Amino acid sequence: MKKNKVLLGGLALSLSVVLAACASANGKSGESGSTNSTDKISLMQTTDLVSLDNSNFADLPMWNVLENSFEGLYRQDSNNQVAPGIAESVVKPTNGGKTYTFHLRPNAKWSNGDDVTAQDFVKSWQRSVSDKSKSGYNYIFSGIQNADQISNGKLSPTQLGAKAVNAHTLQVNLEHPMPYFSKMMILPAFFPQDTKVVQKYGSKYGTNSDRVVSDGPFKVSGWTGTNDNWKLLRNPHYYDQKAVHLKEIDMQVVKDANTAHNLFAKGQLDDATITGVTAQGMQKDKDLRHVEKAGTYYLRLNNKNGKALNNQKLRQAVSLAVDRNHLTKDVLADGSKPAYTYVARGLATDPTTGKDFATEMTPKETYNVAKAKSLWQQGLKEAHLKGTVNLTLVSLDDTSDKNVAEFVQGTLKQNLGNVKISTENLPSKSRNDKEANGAFDFDETLWLADFGDPENFFSILTKNNPQNYGHYEDAQFNAAMKDATTANAANESAYWKDMRTAQSRLNENMPVVPLYSMVESHLVNPKLKGVEYHPVGENDYTRAYLEK
């Protein structure tokens, strides 16, 4: 998913949600707040919430909210394994791996009391896969029968290979085996929607908390569509009440890491994400916890014809000019690690080699200023560019993104020479518009894995993917991805060979420049328990509690 997911995985990206609880005014973290309540906590996000409609928007802030208020067929357990959600059990496919039949819990209900039905999944998926969907995530349904043709506007969404056999039985038919299909079912993109509520509000569905209902442990309350604070209130109709300990989760937007630290120090937050200078001074703090996520922060380079970075040598020069060790150690200083491949470390082990996929695919050369300068000059000649090259770097307006943007701006100027980079640090919506319109040379973003397979990263860079905002197009890359998801899907050896080919092409073409792996620095109240920090997907606070 992306940092501005629209991305998750795969799903753009913006920074992670952090958990916090109200504490007492004496300034000691971990103590109960003024209400002496241990059944109420607060969540902090570092950027704005834009929508609650998973068919027409997709970014990390929204998915974080949906993760804690909705539930799909499956959820992740505390061991990061797929576990039953609205489906009664994790099912095995039939028909040679192409048919999944899910039996839904008969006691699953929406927060307004409506039954959760198979039709709620069918209608939600049809909205999301449609060529009219604005989420940029309709591609994630690829592999389900007719999904690609629907996304391309050639078939009606009603032709999708998902049908309600009866009120509580959902059948999904695939075009080919998808060994990662069960892992995908935890994604908010596949969450159901109350059909009656969608019909009632139409295009206004999910534009505020009064125009949406939830089937998870909590329901969203108090979000007007523009404000920066809201609540998640316990859903009295959730099927597993014993698993939920909290009555309320308060959520607010806090964009500055220093502000988050100060709130934590005052006992007003129980979990604060810190970055940059703030994080640098806290790395030995007893309350610090590093949360490793299968995500890669990277520069998306605009490969479109007419753009300077359409030239491969210029893109290669940018990558070799960036000292990722300096970036992570001295600029971020939050436990983040250098990234040299688009696919995140720790995402998946290549079963044919027994090695971490990202580690085995790391390029031999990752930082070489002299070679970068040479490639830059060669690329300028090939692209017929003279004088100073003016480039625009777009990023979000939070502190971490600003710091990274300034680093990239300075290091490329110093190591490449005749280049001037203008930075634009924008709110989520404005950044999204820039992305969609291709109004950038560099775009600083994150892809946080939706499921544990490299395909989740690679798919958004395929030729016709709606999230391929950098207009990357490479015949060998596209061929490898097509083979991996069709002819070689059930052949483990051939599948992973395709995955290695895809990463090799990215290493050579550099349509994206990996910067660092996602490692969150959290200041955590030791009394906060039950949070499931998943390396793949969003963090789950629905089982959280505060020790008395």
Side-chain angles (χ1 to χ4, degrees):
M1 162 184 210
K2 71 179 187 177
K3 176 171 191 173
N4 154 44
K5 204 160 183 155
V6 188
L7 142 294
L8 311 212
L11 235 166
L13 254 130
S14 132
L15 289 176
S16 67
V17 175
V18 279
L19 188 64
C22 297
S24 62
N26 65 7
K28 296 181 180 179
S29 64
E31 299 186 5
S32 59
S34 58
T35 60
N36 295 317
S37 173
T38 57
D39 57 12
K40 174 182 176 181
I41 62 174
S42 293
L43 295 178
M44 168 195 135
Q45 296 195 121
T46 60
T47 194
D48 307 316
L49 180 63
V50 177
S51 175
L52 293 171
D53 180 1
N54 62 321
S55 290
N56 281 312
F57 199 78
D59 70 356
L60 194 51
M62 185 184 82
W63 279 31
N64 279 321
V65 174
L66 297 185
E67 173 74 18
N68 293 281
S69 55
F70 278 69
E71 191 163 286
L73 293 166
Y74 299 151
R75 60 185 302 275
Q76 285 191 83
D77 63 19
S78 58
N79 296 316
N80 303 315
Q81 300 299 310
V82 172
I86 299 299
E88 291 184 313
S89 64
V90 177
V91 303
K92 293 183 179 180
T94 57
N95 186 28
K98 294 191 291 186
T99 299
Y100 288 76
T101 303
F102 303 95
H103 298 284
L104 310 186
R105 298 177 188 271
N107 60 337
K109 293 184 179 295
W110 293 98
S111 53
N112 63 355
D114 289 345
D115 288 341
V116 179
T117 68
Q119 194 69 1
D120 291 336
F121 282 91
V122 172
K123 290 296 185 181
S124 173
W125 292 12
Q126 288 177 354
R127 289 186 74 228
S128 298
V129 75
S130 168
D131 63 323
K132 304 295 193 299
S133 170
K134 300 177 182 178
S135 70
Y137 244 67
N138 52 7
Y139 80 91
I140 201 72
F141 292 84
S142 182
I144 298 178
Q145 198 172 72
N146 296 327
D148 290 340
Q149 290 173 288
I150 295 168
S151 296
N152 292 328
K154 296 179 181 179
L155 284 179
S156 165
T158 59
Q159 298 298 109
L160 184 68
K163 67 178 181 179
V165 177
N166 55 48
H168 294 103
T169 304
L170 172 69
Q171 187 177 88
V172 181
N173 292 303
L174 308 181
E175 293 178 341
H176 53 79
M178 297 170 64
Y180 43 81
F181 184 74
S182 290
K183 297 178 181 179
M184 295 172 65
M185 292 302 98
I186 66 171
L187 303 181
F190 292 96
F191 284 173
Q193 298 163 359
D194 188 326
T195 304
K196 296 177 183 177
V197 175
V198 175
Q199 290 175 342
K200 178 179 179 179
Y201 293 112
S203 62
K204 293 184 178 180
Y205 172 79
T207 55
N208 63 42
S209 58
D210 291 333
R211 295 172 181 150
V212 69
V213 293
S214 309
D215 68 329
F218 295 90
K219 58 181 180 180
V220 187
S221 176
W223 183 62
T224 65
T226 57
N227 57 327
D228 59 5
N229 58 84
W230 57 93
K231 300 178 184 296
L232 300 183
L233 303 178
R234 187 163 177 161
N235 174 9
H237 300 289
Y238 183 59
Y239 67 85
D240 192 3
Q241 291 292 320
K242 292 182 179 179
V244 184
H245 309 288
L246 302 171
K247 292 183 179 180
E248 180 179 323
I249 299 175
D250 293 340
M251 303 188 81
Q252 61 178 311
V253 177
V254 180
K255 296 183 178 181
D256 181 68
N258 190 53
T259 300
H261 170 229
N262 288 337
L263 291 172
F264 180 84
K266 293 176 182 179
Q268 296 175 1
L269 293 178
D270 283 305
D271 186 328
T273 293
I274 54 174
T275 57
V277 175
T278 304
Q280 188 173 17
M282 304 297 295
Q283 288 300 298
K284 295 183 179 180
D285 191 280
K286 63 180 179 61
D287 294 321
L288 184 72
R289 171 174 177 168
H290 285 139
V291 177
E292 295 189 9
K293 309 289 280 188
T296 301
Y297 287 88
Y298 64 96
L299 297 176
R300 175 172 27 224
L301 278 53
N302 198 331
N303 292 238
K304 190 174 183 179
N305 287 331
K307 290 288 186 177
L309 296 177
N310 173 257
N311 181 272
Q312 177 177 301
K313 289 181 179 177
L314 294 182
R315 298 194 302 270
Q316 292 172 334
V318 169
S319 181
L320 289 175
V322 177
D323 185 348
R324 296 158 177 85
N325 283 312
H326 176 50
L327 170 63
T328 54
K329 181 180 179 180
D330 302 319
V331 178
L332 294 168
D334 60 356
S336 298
K337 306 295 183 182
Y340 301 107
T341 56
Y342 179 50
V343 173
R345 286 185 303 178
L347 173 77
T349 297
D350 181 342
T352 65
T353 64
K355 299 178 181 179
D356 176 75
F357 180 80
T359 301
E360 72 176 350
M361 295 306 300
T362 298
K364 294 181 179 179
E365 198 165 35
T366 58
Y367 178 56
N368 186 326
V369 175
K371 187 172 182 178
K373 287 182 177 179
S374 176
L375 285 168
W376 186 254
Q377 293 304 318
Q378 293 175 45
L380 292 178
K381 291 181 181 179
E382 289 181 0
H384 305 290
L385 297 173
K386 298 181 180 180
T388 299
V389 178
N390 294 295
L391 303 174
T392 301
L393 170 58
V394 175
S395 70
L396 289 168
D397 60 353
D398 60 74
T399 302
S400 178
D401 275 39
K402 289 179 179 178
N403 291 340
V404 173
E406 290 176 1
F407 167 80
V408 172
Q409 181 185 45
T411 199
L412 294 186
K413 173 63 177 177
Q414 177 180 337
N415 292 338
L416 297 180
N418 52 335
V419 59
K420 180 179 180 181
I421 298 175
S422 301
T423 60
E424 294 186 18
N425 306 110
L426 305 171
S428 295
K429 188 178 186 308
S430 299
R431 206 291 284 281
N432 296 346
D433 292 341
K434 286 276 187 178
E435 275 187 340
N437 295 327
F440 64 92
D441 294 296
F442 302 96
D443 178 30
E444 181 189 337
T445 190
L446 159 74
W447 190 261
L448 175 60
D450 297 318
F451 54 91
D453 192 285
E455 192 277 341
N456 177 230
F457 276 78
F458 296 147
S459 59
I460 67 167
L461 296 181
T462 53
K463 179 180 178 180
N464 295 319
N465 191 284
Q467 291 200 55
N468 186 7
Y469 299 122
H471 300 278
Y472 175 57
E473 185 175 346
D474 176 67
Q476 292 183 49
F477 177 86
N478 288 323
M481 291 306 299
K482 181 179 180 180
D483 289 345
T485 54
T486 53
N488 295 335
N491 184 327
E492 183 176 78
S493 178
Y495 178 85
W496 285 92
K497 182 179 179 181
D498 289 332
M499 293 295 100
R500 292 192 295 273
T501 296
Q503 183 61 66
S504 294
R505 295 303 297 169
L506 297 185
N507 291 350
E508 182 176 352
N509 293 325
M510 279 299 164
V512 294
V513 175
L515 295 177
Y516 59 102
S517 298
M518 185 178 183
V519 179
E520 299 170 345
S521 286
H522 289 245
L523 294 174
V524 182
N525 174 3
K527 290 188 177 182
L528 178 62
K529 306 294 182 181
V531 181
E532 296 175 1
Y533 295 103
H534 299 303
V536 176
E538 287 65 57
N539 297 329
D540 183 353
Y541 308 105
T542 62
R543 273 64 176 168
Y545 62 95
L546 291 173
E547 287 185 331
K548 295 182 180 179

